């Protein structure tokens, strides 16, 4: 077992454990922290694949901005523990095994279909190549994303604004 | 070098766990987080295929997915705040006025 595979296994175990913890935790803040764990582990996996830029963006935007937004909203709404609803016994005894079977089936068939797929022997991707692609070939989609961000900003502002009483 | 299929299996497992969380969780904030988890799983698949095919386009797509996820989180959390203000709860089972 090479060192790379060992690193992969550790990071994958952390990511899967975080995802399972996201499901099992009842308090939203614990779920949010589990999700941050998953995202940091995924950033490590991107580094392992030589995608440095994506790894940095993953940490900064996902781990930094988006999750801070989530934690901030949890704090703002003072979200408490998820109340236990009377989940019917059928949902409990049929739904949980079905969920487990779904995950295993998906992993099995995707793993089987791509078993013989080999990575091209390419070294570390340079961020310069990526930015050439992003700012030359994909410059219009890139500019469109700035419009998207602007519209999302306005939308969030309009939604969260307190209505003026008439 | 780690085989491509390992990454894709991990991606599938994370996506499946995201779907399971989406179905099982009752808190609207946690449901949002499970959507982010699914997006992350897809990003991992994009990066993996980008490496496997020796093309950079996959990483550009990851960049766009992250931007869209950020926009979605901003608008979605605005909606969550609005729901909490109007109905006083985050439990999706209590936000059921369309049923009546």
């Amino acid at each position: 077992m090479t060192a790379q595979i060992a690193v992969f296994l550790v990071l994958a175990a952390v990511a899967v454990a975080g995802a399972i913890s996201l499901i099992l935790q009842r308090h939203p803040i614990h779920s949010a922290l589990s999700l941050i764990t998953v995202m940091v582990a995924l950033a490590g996996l991107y580094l392992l694949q030589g995608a440095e830029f994506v790894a940095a963006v993953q940490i900064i935007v996902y781990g930094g901005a988006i999750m801070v937004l989530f934690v901030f909203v949890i704090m703002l709404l003072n979200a408490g523990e998820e109340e236990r609803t009377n989940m019917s016994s059928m949902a409990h005894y049929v739904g949980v095994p079905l969920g487990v079977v779904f995950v295993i089936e998906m992993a099995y068939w995707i793993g089987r279909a791509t078993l013989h797929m080999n990575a091209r022997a390419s070294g570390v991707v340079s961020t310069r190549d990526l930015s050439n692609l992003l700012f030359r070939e994909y410059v219009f989609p890139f500019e469109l994303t700035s419009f998207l961000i602007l519209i999302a900003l306005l939308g969030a502002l309009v939604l969260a604004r307190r209505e003026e009483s008439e | 070098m780690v085989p491509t299929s390992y990454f894709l299996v991990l991606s599938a497992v994370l996506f499946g766990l995201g779907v399971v969380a989406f179905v099982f969780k009752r808190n609207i904030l946690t449901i949002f987080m499970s959507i982010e988890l699914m997006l992350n799983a897809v990003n991992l698949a994009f990066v993996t295929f980008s490496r496997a095919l020796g093309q950079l386009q996959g990483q550009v797509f990851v960049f766009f997915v992250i931007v869209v996820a950020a926009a979605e989180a901003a608008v979605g959390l605005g909606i969550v705040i609005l729901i909490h203000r109007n109905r006083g709860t985050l439990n999706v089972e209590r936000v059921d006025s369309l049923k009546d």
Side-chain angles (χ1 to χ4, degrees):
Chain A
M1 194 163 73
T2 63
Q4 279 194 335
I5 290 186
V7 171
F8 169 82
L9 287 179
V10 169
L11 288 174
V14 169
V16 171
I20 291 174
S21 163
L22 168 78
I23 299 177
L24 294 182
Q25 300 286 353
R26 305 212 73 87
H27 202 290
I29 196 89
H30 297 157
S31 294
L33 293 177
S34 312
L35 190 55
I36 292 175
T37 317
V38 176
M39 283 164 176
V40 172
L42 281 179
L45 289 172
Y46 295 155
L47 273 183
L48 194 63
Q49 291 185 300
E52 293 155 338
F53 177 72
V54 174
V57 167
Q58 168 89 4
I59 294 271
I60 295 172
V61 176
Y62 258 127
I66 295 182
M67 290 320 291
V68 165
L69 203 62
F70 268 98
V71 172
F72 188 71
V73 168
I74 291 170
M75 188 197 75
L76 189 71
L77 299 184
N78 200 11
E81 223 167 271
E82 199 172 57
E83 48 188 308
R84 281 186 187 274
T85 48
N86 45 347
M87 194 159 85
S88 69
S89 56
M90 194 174 131
H92 199 269
Y93 292 113
V94 179
V96 175
L98 271 183
V100 172
V101 167
F102 172 71
V103 172
I104 293 174
E105 280 280 304
M106 229 167 96
Y108 174 72
W109 285 108
I110 287 183
R112 217 177 114 132
T114 59
L115 195 60
H116 301 295
M117 206 169 170
N118 285 317
R120 293 252 176 98
S122 63
V124 174
V125 168
S126 82
T127 305
R128 178 188 292 175
D129 292 340
L130 190 62
S131 57
N132 267 334
L133 199 62
L134 190 60
F135 291 115
R136 291 225 174 107
E137 200 173 329
Y138 291 97
V139 66
F140 286 117
F142 178 78
E143 291 296 332
L144 271 180
T145 56
S146 61
F147 278 108
L148 181 71
I149 291 275
L150 183 67
I151 293 167
L153 197 72
L154 289 177
L157 207 66
V158 169
L159 280 173
R161 191 188 50 172
R162 200 170 281 279
E163 298 269 329
E164 299 288 328
S165 53
E166 287 150 22
Chain B
M1 196 175 242
V2 188
T4 303
S5 59
Y6 285 22
F7 284 105
L8 292 173
V9 166
L10 176 65
S11 165
V13 167
L14 287 180
F15 189 88
L17 286 172
V19 172
V20 169
F22 185 86
V23 173
F24 274 94
K25 297 306 272 187
R26 290 282 159 265
N27 190 313
I28 194 164
L29 277 167
T30 330
I31 288 175
F32 246 108
M33 286 180 219
S34 55
I35 294 175
E36 300 291 335
L37 181 59
M38 286 191 268
L39 286 170
N40 267 294
V42 172
N43 280 349
L44 180 62
F46 266 130
V47 171
T48 307
F49 278 120
S50 163
R51 187 187 65 148
L53 301 176
Q55 290 181 334
L56 276 177
Q57 269 87 350
Q59 297 190 19
V60 176
F61 268 86
V62 169
F63 180 76
F64 288 136
V65 168
I66 289 177
V67 171
V68 171
E72 175 236 328
V75 175
L77 289 172
I79 293 174
V80 169
I81 290 176
L82 206 61
I83 287 174
H84 186 264
R85 189 182 297 155
N86 286 339
R87 313 208 43 113
T89 180
L90 289 175
N91 191 333
V92 285
E93 287 188 343
R94 294 182 192 278
V95 186
D96 55 358
S97 47
L98 270 182
K99 264 190 197 167
D100 305 329

